[in-house]
Amino acid sequence: MVSVEQTSAEQTGSPGGLRRDIGLIGLMWASVGSIIGSGWLYGAEKAVGAAGPAAIISWVIGTVAIVLLALVHAELGGMFPVAGGTARYPHYAFGGLAGMSFGWFSWLQAATVAPIEVEAMIGYAGHWSWAQGLEHKDQTLTTSGLVTAVLLMAVFVAINFFGVRALAHTNSAATWWKIAVPLGAIFVIAIGNFHPANFTSEGFAPFGAKGVLSAISESGIIFALLGFEQAIQLAGESRNPKRDLPRATLGSVAIGAVIYILLQIVFIAALPHSTFAKGWDHLDFPGISGPWAGLATLVGLGWLAIVLYADAIISPGGTGLIYTTATSRVSYGLAKNGYAPKIFARTDRRGVPWFGLIISFVTGVVCFLPFPSWQQLVGFITSASVLMYAGAPLAYGVFADRLPHHERPYRLPAGKVISPLSFFVANLIIYWAGWDILWRLGIAVVLGYLLLGGYALWSNATNQPDAPRMDFKAAQWLPVYLLGMGVISAQGGFGGTGNIGLWWDMLVIAVFSLVIYYWARATASRTEQIEQSIEEVVVTDAPAP
């Protein structure tokens, strides 16, 4: 049986491979730094507008969903501590076609987060006189705003070129600030501005169950909680991945969830009644475009508003920085698996995948053209993210069957129950994102098949030594899964025709998820094929002499 700890050349710090420079705090802070980004600046206001005070329930449901997915990732990250792990698990379990698909979802998600954080920075910066003129009235970028956005993306890339140790130090400092500011805002605003009547005066759940559920995906709750997997993406650069990855993954989710739920409670309680007297869907007050800073000004805490406007640059900046790192590491993993050209796996003397960083910069710049505002890009990122997460529970079930004796530093309790449950939850999140988002994601999926699939077919046709194993038999469930989710979404009540009613839609997704889950387990790659895939990664990750 392959032992990644003993054989993976990624465990080395030799030139030509990724360098293992990050400890537990660096890994945890990478994930926390991704979780506490622009989501905290906008999440509470968007959620309460969609669900009323019942948005607190939305955050709890969103947290449970993310915890289930994080638990699965924690075991997989300890089993296979390799760079870009999210892109590799389906590759091991189902061969080339499934691995390529989920790798593309992972890359799409990572590549588009940095641009949206740049847009959040520019949006809040408009409060300052020196930054006015960077956005139009509809919050889309002007020409000068576009130039500023490109320069900020260049800063993210430049810091990454200094290597992962410099990145860990930079992000650790930013993350301490990013945790301190929202906690400080919670404490300061709550003192003297906590009105319990706000939770019931206009109805606790004025938009019913559908409002609570739609807020989870549509208002940015899942987007805000995203990021726990960043420690896993950096597994190839961890000093002790088998011990630290599970702790960093679960610890970051716990920290982020507590902060976000407290933020939602205090935001609702601190609002003057006049701001939502016409209903929560008509919430309005001066400065609402920067909700927390505007609220601080409204309750007479002008000094705190200044701090929050500054944090609106630092928090999204830290998240954008770490996702620039993640993009290059996911492309590194795709190249190691043979889905992308090998130039993506080349590292400089600091162990940085330099070409992947350059492509992440180019992608970010391109994103500013069709999505020139925060609101226009957030839905796309959420849908790509949750589709990416759906691959981990499927791979977990296969490894439980095919690799029962493989070393597991962290073993998930009740994994046989949590694994299919987390797959079901991931599909619910995808469904709640709405049909308007999912058909756009479908276009991106087709683009990925044209790019990565075309390269993989060329590699096999020309007998390249690292050509991926395009196992269509092991991934026969995949087209049914993707098309099935699209059909259910189109017929459902979240942006679809409404032919499938509320609650019935969840039952349909539950049955559909179980069918796909056990179908995927039954047709997955054989044990020897999985071991061969792991061995191939070991060989291709070998450091240069």
Side-chain angles (χ1 to χ4, degrees), residues 107 111 114-115 153 157 323-325 327-328 344 355-365:
W107 190 88
M153 283 294 301
V157 172
Y323 268 97
T324 302
T325 308
T327 305
S328 66
F344 283 94
F355 190 76
L357 281 177
I358 293 173
I359 295 301
S360 71
F361 170 75
V362 173
T363 303
V365 172

Side-chain angles (χ1 to χ4, degrees), residues 36 40 177-187 259 263 311 315:
I36 310 296
W40 98 262
W177 166 275
K178 290 167 69 174
I179 292 178
V181 170
L183 287 177
I186 290 169
F187 179 75
I259 291 175
L263 283 167
D311 179 68
S315 288

Side-chain angles (χ1 to χ4, degrees), residues 59-398:
W59 282 102
V60 172
I61 295 174
T63 298
V64 171
I66 292 298
V67 166
L68 289 173
L69 291 167
L71 286 169
V72 174
H73 279 79
E75 177 166 324
L76 296 181
M79 289 178 67
F80 306 110
V82 293
T86 308
R88 297 198 187 191
Y89 307 142
H91 168 84
Y92 293 157
F94 305 106
L97 181 59
M100 179 186 69
S101 302
F102 285 96
W104 175 246
F105 305 152
S106 179
W107 190 88
L108 273 178
Q109 181 257 354
T112 50
V113 170
I116 197 175
E117 299 300 336
V118 165
E119 290 174 343
M121 294 169 68
I122 293 175
Y124 259 75
H127 169 77
W128 308 100
S129 59
W130 53 267
Q132 292 178 357
L134 300 181
E135 287 188 324
H136 296 293
K137 291 184 179 180
D138 61 357
Q139 296 184 325
T140 58
L141 297 174
T142 63
T143 300
S144 59
L146 181 60
V147 172
T148 303
V150 172
L151 291 175
L152 287 172
M153 283 294 301
V155 171
F156 291 162
V157 172
I159 293 176
N160 273 270
F161 265 110
F162 282 104
V164 69
R165 180 175 295 173
L167 169 67
H169 293 165
T170 302
N171 194 63
S172 292
T175 303
W176 280 113
W177 166 275
K178 290 167 69 174
I179 292 178
V181 170
L183 287 177
I186 290 169
F187 179 75
V188 172
I189 292 178
I191 295 179
N193 298 286
F194 197 91
H195 311 298
N198 286 2
F199 293 97
T200 55
S201 61
E202 301 299 326
F204 179 72
F207 312 114
K210 186 173 182 179
V212 172
L213 298 177
S214 63
I216 295 171
S217 295
E218 294 180 5
S219 68
I221 288 177
I222 293 298
F223 171 76
L225 292 169
L226 297 177
F228 69 84
E229 83 285 353
Q230 294 313 310
I232 296 169
Q233 307 291 21
L234 292 169
E237 293 149 275
S238 168
R239 283 198 294 266
N240 192 340
K242 290 183 174 293
R243 181 197 68 188
D244 293 344
L245 282 181
R247 298 179 183 180
T249 302
L250 299 178
S252 63
V253 172
I255 293 171
V258 168
I259 291 175
Y260 277 120
I261 292 173
L262 289 176
L263 283 167
Q264 185 68 74
I265 293 172
V266 172
F267 185 84
I268 294 171
L271 287 167
H273 183 265
S274 59
T275 62
F276 59 92
K278 297 181 180 180
W280 285 106
D281 54 341
H282 292 90
L283 175 66
D284 190 29
F285 55 86
I288 194 173
S289 58
W292 277 98
L295 176 60
T297 302
L298 193 65
V299 298
L301 298 170
W303 65 269
L304 179 60
I306 295 175
V307 174
L308 295 178
Y309 278 119
D311 179 68
I313 295 176
I314 296 173
S315 288
T319 302
L321 180 65
I322 197 62
Y323 268 97
T324 302
T325 308
T327 305
S328 66
R329 271 55 179 183
V330 172
S331 60
Y332 178 96
L334 288 171
K336 289 296 184 184
N337 285 339
Y339 304 133
K342 284 299 155 188
I343 192 171
F344 283 94
R346 293 180 183 174
T347 59
D348 62 15
R349 61 185 178 86
R350 295 188 178 92
V352 176
W354 59 272
F355 190 76
L357 281 177
I358 293 173
I359 295 301
S360 71
F361 170 75
V362 173
T363 303
V365 172
V366 170
C367 282
F368 294 133
L369 301 178
F371 303 107
S373 73
W374 191 91
Q375 191 62 46
Q376 291 177 354
L377 189 52
V378 66
F380 181 85
I381 294 173
T382 301
S383 58
S385 301
V386 293
L387 191 55
M388 169 193 73
Y389 290 142
L394 294 173
Y396 177 96
V398 173

Side-chain angles (χ1 to χ4, degrees), residues 395-407:
Y396 177 96
V398 173
F399 299 145
D401 290 339
R402 308 291 202 271
L403 303 176
H405 303 298
H406 195 287
E407 183 181 359

